[in-house]
Amino acid sequence: MNPRIEIIKNSTNEELNDVYSDKYILSSFCDYDIKEPIIDNSVVYYSAYVNNKFAGCFVEVIKSPFDSELHSLLKKHSRKHSRELAIAFIKMIFQTRSVFRVSTTVIHSLQKVINFCMKIGFVIDGLKQNANIKNGQVQNVLQFRILRGELWVE
């Protein structure tokens, strides 16, 4: 039986506090990532649910009316549904906004995350050398993108 996936715009304070206090989620952050909800008009949080159970949040950073950067703050228990959740979120962004592209960034050493991004349709858009620090080590960052009209996105 397929899980019931639901993505809801504008996460509650309780949901945001939950994800920003989750050790599993925080372990994926880089050394200088902001470890609290970002309150800004260009940042929108979306709550994700699987079979009515809170699975975590997605973050949309609005770069322009046509370009958004996406991030995932999914809880450990939702990993087995992460692909369905991410695809539902990306489809929602393309269906409800006028963006031409969505992008995300991944530390170059996180091969499982890179594979995940590529499996759901992201394409490598470029490499930023020495762009972040994780565990005290300078890291390269891969930039990924999906354009409107590519693959399954419509």
Side-chain angles (χ1 to χ4, degrees), residues 78-126:
S78 66
R79 283 189 310 185
K80 66 181 175 180
H81 300 293
S82 60
R83 190 178 300 180
E84 296 99 327
L85 287 163
I87 289 171
F89 175 57
I90 294 165
K91 282 183 177 181
M92 179 183 186
I93 295 299
F94 277 110
Q95 290 168 355
T96 62
R97 302 227 323 102
S98 61
V99 296
F100 297 138
R101 64 179 285 133
V102 296
S103 62
T104 194
T105 56
V106 178
I107 298 287
H108 81 286
S109 60
L110 299 177
Q111 193 59 51
K112 287 182 181 179
V113 180
I114 292 168
N115 292 344
F116 174 83
C117 287
M118 295 177 83
K119 282 180 185 174
I120 64 171
F122 277 98
V123 175
I124 295 174
D125 207 27

Side-chain angles (χ1 to χ4, degrees), residues 3 8 12 23 33 67 89-90 96 108 117 120 142 149 151:
I8 303 169
T12 67
K23 289 181 181 172
D33 285 347
D67 184 13
F89 175 57
I90 294 165
T96 62
H108 81 286
C117 287
I120 64 171
L142 286 171
L151 303 173

Side-chain angles (χ1 to χ4, degrees), residues 20 25-26 42 52 58 112 133 144 153:
Y20 279 100
I25 292 171
L26 292 176
S42 67
N52 297 320
F58 289 102
K112 287 182 181 179
I133 298 175
F144 287 87
V153 179

